Amino acid sequence: MADAIIDIRALSLAYERGGVRNVILSNLDLTIARGEFVVIVGESGVGKSTLLRVLIGLARPSAGKVRLDTRPGCRTPMALVFQDARLLPWRRVIDNVAFGLEGSGLSRAERRAKAAEMLALVGLADLGGRWPHQLSGGQRQRVAIARALAVEPDVLLMDEPFSALDSFTREGLQDELQRIKAQTGKTVLFVTHDIDEAVTLADRVVVLAGSPGRVAAEVRIDVPRPRPRRDAALLDAARSLRAELSRRSADL
Amino acid sequence: MSLVRSTLLAAAGLLAFLLFWEAMPRLGLINPAFLPPPSTIPAAFLREVSLGIWPEAVLSSLSHYVAGLLAGAGAGVGLGLLSGMFRPFESFTAWIVRLLRPIPGLAWVPFAIIWFGVQPSAAVFIIAIGVFWIVFFATQGAVRGVDRDLIEVAQAFGFRSPLARLTKILLPAATPGILVGLRTALGQAWMAVVAAEIFGVPGVGQRMMQASSLLSTDIVVVYMLTMAALYGLFDSAFVALQGWLLRWRA
Ligand SMILES: Nc1ncnc2c1ncn2[C@@H]1O[C@H](COP(=O)(O)OP(=O)(O)O)[C@@H](O)[C@H]1O
Ligand SMILES: [Mg+2]
């Protein structure tokens, strides 16, 4: 791929526990283009979170290479949104959003201004003064997204960020995310186990499968945006993705 | 039960206690020299104040209390953080801790006197030791109990040094647990004040010993109540501070 921002080559990862080697990912190749919205789906336990953790530096691969073509010298080329928002409960919302900016050399006022801007972007401009425990689950996840965006990452990593939310909130946030994506042009790598969510959001869906996990299939979702919900083309894409998945699991 | 009713009941209980206390010596059931009736306490208090003994003793004890508390709690928090953060440090100190921890604070009195003499610094030393272990273990436990997920958040945002981990996650997350230890220490330190001063360092404890050797039990009671009042004051102030520091909690 000409303009690859992430190039993962022959990535393997194993956990050692009590002398037993548990191979999670093996020989995984994946290339992500700049500005692409890639959604990773796969059964639970296949290693989706592990892959994101490798990219953000929370886990170390046993073999393979990850090449990044992000801005040189950037302190945070990637930012991760966790499944559970993981806000710091002792910080007000605005200071949670400003968290990642603290090593950036910006003054406190500048960090706050940036955080306020990000809060507005996720539609929570008025809630900066609240404590995390005063937010709903959906609001918390929005704050987590704002916190990740605040550090101006080239790549936004999202690990099942909406899976704990009710379906109304989830659909609202999916729309919101697409709007933010269109507005900022960020590259997004998004993990979900929800097929409808995957086809709604993705330029390309990557199926992780097997044990150890590797890329089992890739499906391009060529539906123009904005994508109306339950649009026939999306339903088609979801149907063929489901067919692909069941074929895969029959193979394995 | 309503707040008014429980307050009234509490007041009634205290009144009954005072009446019972007053009655015992007055009815001749106890020698008043052994247990002075509470009605004699205000006069004894005023006498102590007008002689200037009370303010001097209280100020002197307070200075030991505050200095001992700061030293003991400071060392307890500092070493507790180190031991909670670094496994090797914890292992290195494990047997030292096991050796020293069971020694009661008062067992250090002989050394306190040998090292510092009958001086305020001896009292500060004993108070500091009395406070240290409580705060140390509270801090160590609180740091070790910090949610690993939150530490990962810091790492994911590029804060990977031990210092960043400490200031951004461990310290704020461990604050509730550390404060619980500090509050216990606040009470423990008064115990140590009396004990330390009984050996002659000027202060409330020393004055109590003097009074008791003269069988001036009313003066002893004055200082017992003084300490109860000071403890109440400090504890209330601490609870207010704790509430403010932990205002982020649900
Ligand atoms: N720190 C770890 N130590 C050992 N095994 C782990 C660790 N983290 C994850 N695993 C294992 O790796 C596998 C993949 O986990 P994960 O990446 O979370 O899967 P997914 O996100 O696809 O559900 C699971 O079987 C899990 O038990
Ligand atoms: Mg996962």
Side-chain angles (χ1 to χ4, degrees), chain A residues 102-150:
Chain A
E102 282 169 12
S104 65
L106 295 179
S107 74
R108 189 180 159 82
E110 287 167 331
R111 296 196 302 260
R112 283 243 170 142
K114 178 84 195 169
E117 191 187 314
M118 291 302 127
L119 272 180
L121 185 66
V122 299
L124 295 181
D126 299 332
L127 300 190
R130 291 218 188 154
W131 299 108
H133 76 83
Q134 297 170 316
L135 302 181
S136 71
Q139 290 170 332
R140 244 173 268 176
Q141 212 49 266
R142 282 170 197 256
V143 174
I145 294 171
R147 175 175 69 182
L149 289 171

Side-chain angles (χ1 to χ4, degrees), chain A residues 27-205:
Chain A
N27 255 313
L28 185 144
D29 294 321
L30 180 62
T31 306
I32 292 161
R34 194 179 306 279
E36 197 180 13
F37 199 132
V38 173
V39 174
I40 298 178
V41 298
E43 285 176 24
S44 141
V46 79
K48 306 181 295 295
S49 298
T50 303
L51 178 60
L52 295 196
R53 293 168 63 81
V54 167
L55 291 174
I56 198 77
L58 290 175
R60 199 179 287 279
S62 345
K65 272 214 168 66
V66 177
R67 250 203 41 242
L68 295 180
D69 188 15
T70 50
R71 281 165 297 155
C74 178
R75 210 179 70 86
T76 45
M78 292 189 250
L80 174 60
V81 177
F82 296 88
Q83 177 172 356
D84 44 337
R86 296 200 195 178
L87 303 182
L88 308 182
W90 56 85
R91 285 170 175 250
R92 290 184 193 275
V93 165
I94 185 100
D95 295 320
N96 261 287
V97 177
F99 179 68
L101 296 170
E102 282 169 12
S104 65
L106 295 179
S107 74
R108 189 180 159 82
E110 287 167 331
R111 296 196 302 260
R112 283 243 170 142
K114 178 84 195 169
E117 191 187 314
M118 291 302 127
L119 272 180
L121 185 66
V122 299
L124 295 181
D126 299 332
L127 300 190
R130 291 218 188 154
W131 299 108
H133 76 83
Q134 297 170 316
L135 302 181
S136 71
Q139 290 170 332
R140 244 173 268 176
Q141 212 49 266
R142 282 170 197 256
V143 174
I145 294 171
R147 175 175 69 182
L149 289 171
V151 299
E152 299 189 341
D154 286 342
V155 182
L156 189 59
L157 306 173
M158 307 182 84
D159 191 1
E160 304 196 29
F162 307 148
S163 65
L165 305 175
D166 62 83
S167 57
F168 282 115
T169 312
R170 180 161 55 227
E171 293 194 356
L173 279 174
Q174 288 167 1
D175 294 345
E176 197 93 329
L177 178 61
Q178 295 192 76
R179 180 181 60 72
I180 291 169
K181 160 83 177 83
Q183 212 170 319
T184 60
K186 298 246 178 265
T187 308
V188 183
L189 186 53
F190 186 106
V191 167
T192 182
H193 56 241
D194 179 334
I195 303 288
D196 295 309
E197 181 166 77
V199 297
T200 304
L201 297 174
D203 296 322
R204 179 163 54 116
V205 178

